[in-house]
Amino acid sequence: MEFKEGLTFDDVLLVPKYSDITSRSQTDLTTKLSRNLSINIPFVSANMDTVTESSMAGAMARAGGIGIIHRFLTIKEQANEVLKVKRSGSVMIENPYSISADKSIEDALDYAEDKEISGLLVVDSNSKLIGIVTERDLLFANKENKIKDVMTKDVITAKLGVTLEESKEILHKHRIEKLPIVDDSGIVKGLITSKDITNNADFPNASKDGKGRPLVGAAVGVKGDFLERSESLLEAGADVLVVDIAHGHSENAISTVKNIKKAFPNCELIAGNIATAQGAEDLIKAGVDAVKVGVGSGSICITRVITGSGVPQLTAVMDCAKIGNDHGIPIISDGGTRTSGDATKALASGASTVMVGSMLGGTDESPGTVLTKNGKRFKVYRGMASLAASIGRKSKETGSMSLDDDLNDYVAEGVEAMVPYKGTVTDILKQLTGGVRSGLSYCGAHTIPQMQENAEFIKMSRAGFAESQPHDVSLM
Ligand code: RVP
């Protein structure tokens, strides 16, 4: 039997090349996420229940990347998370949420909380605008009162076709935050909010769809409801679906890909995870638009410990990227990225994007609360194949929190962990993208494809690795 050598990020360095770059701004991080979808920075937030729901996905898209909403939610909840992203950040929200004047204030509060919005348009049975209620109208009001008792009736509106500049002027002149857009009969056609206008100005690099809405993806499994789930997610506006299975080089994954592509031929579809050239080839033949690579590489993953299987991440990406290149299908390096240096190595070895979990867990935008332990702040970050995540998923499926006996039979391939609280995703991504831009420069490249062409890896010894870390100093 022959042994193949498997290398990962800490085994290699990129050899510095001549560079004509004088400023990081001369580098371009635009890259392909999948066959027909490009993003502006090469980062994707992992479809994990402690990483990506709408808040993370919105922040990722604003920064130029994309987030994949995890699938341990009911179909309705997951589609709602997609909708929330789609409704944030576009200049005009189409089909804004509305309520009828006869509903109670309690109904409005529940609705606004469910949709995570701060106000509702009030319409009659023909969708004609008759008022608006905002947080201020609802706060401290008697919950049994009707909407018509508290709504503002004289609503400032604009006509369809109003420009961004005109909207800003109207919002400013009337000191309002929401501007409903109506047609000649007063029927609601959209909503422009000051928050969305500000977001647009603050995030010029945002990844957007053809309608100017943030890009977002969502994960589906390989069993049970995956076709129904795919349909709801696509209807909600998901730009890309991810078939998510630990062992993606399997009949289960391949038939799921074929079934989704058959039912929704225009759906942009990623599948994974795999770790070999043959795995990539088989998924590509099944019809995927990108392949997600990484078996056992994740920080919370114990697949290699429990099953003995996996491929060190750099070798896995290199092997799969050769096949991806032959077919024009992008590769996503998933798992094991701890630094911008790791991300640069993953991209240089052939990945078009990098999916990250632990680096984004522990931020304001990741689901979960901040915990304090020994005076330090943390957030939970756990594997999707951990016992805790599995209990969470089961409770969604059965609608109860009871722990079935068969959980004792569950063989976890992930661990529950904590990561330090890190502040906002925007700050993390600034460091990550800044590091990758410098990495491009060290490779004498202006773009990611150029870096892939120029890249020369050198294998290092343990001494070389030690020399690469801060050494012989006391860190402050
Ligand atoms: P990391 O960025 O190193 O934290 O890795 C994140 C990746 O780990 C995910 O995108 C996924 O591929 C993998 N993962 C998630 N859960 C588990 C598990 O329970 N084994 N693994």
Side-chain angles (χ1 to χ4, degrees), residues 44-48 51 244 246 273 292-303 334-338 355-360 381-386 389 410 412-415:
V44 183
S45 68
N47 46 288
M48 297 173 70
V51 180
D244 168 41
N273 279 16
K292 200 149 70 75
V293 175
V295 174
S297 46
S299 57
I300 33 47
C301 183
I302 50 170
T303 294
D334 177 18
T337 308
R338 303 147 306 168
M355 178 174 261
V356 264
S358 70
M359 288 195 82
L360 301 176
Y381 175 60
R382 66 189 186 194
M384 292 297 268
S386 66
Y410 184 73
E413 286 187 31
V415 295

Side-chain angles (χ1 to χ4, degrees), residues 416-460:
E416 295 88 8
M418 292 196 302
V419 284
Y421 168 69
K422 307 188 186 96
T424 75
V425 158
T426 317
D427 289 341
I428 304 276
L429 288 176
K430 269 186 205 156
Q431 289 297 317
L432 262 178
T433 52
V436 172
R437 282 182 195 280
S438 294
L440 252 63
S441 163
Y442 276 100
C443 288
H446 290 247
T447 63
I448 293 169
Q450 244 179 39
M451 174 167 70
Q452 291 168 346
E453 242 169 63
N454 293 0
E456 188 191 331
F457 282 103
I458 188 166
K459 213 170 126 183
M460 52 178 161

Side-chain angles (χ1 to χ4, degrees), residues 349-391:
S349 66
S352 295
T353 56
V354 177
M355 178 174 261
V356 264
S358 70
M359 288 195 82
L360 301 176
T363 54
D364 290 329
E365 292 81 355
S366 64
T369 47
V370 178
L371 312 167
T372 304
K373 196 177 170 201
N374 300 333
K376 295 207 170 107
R377 295 198 288 170
F378 297 90
K379 275 180 106 165
V380 168
Y381 175 60
R382 66 189 186 194
M384 292 297 268
S386 66
L387 185 63
S390 153
I391 292 171

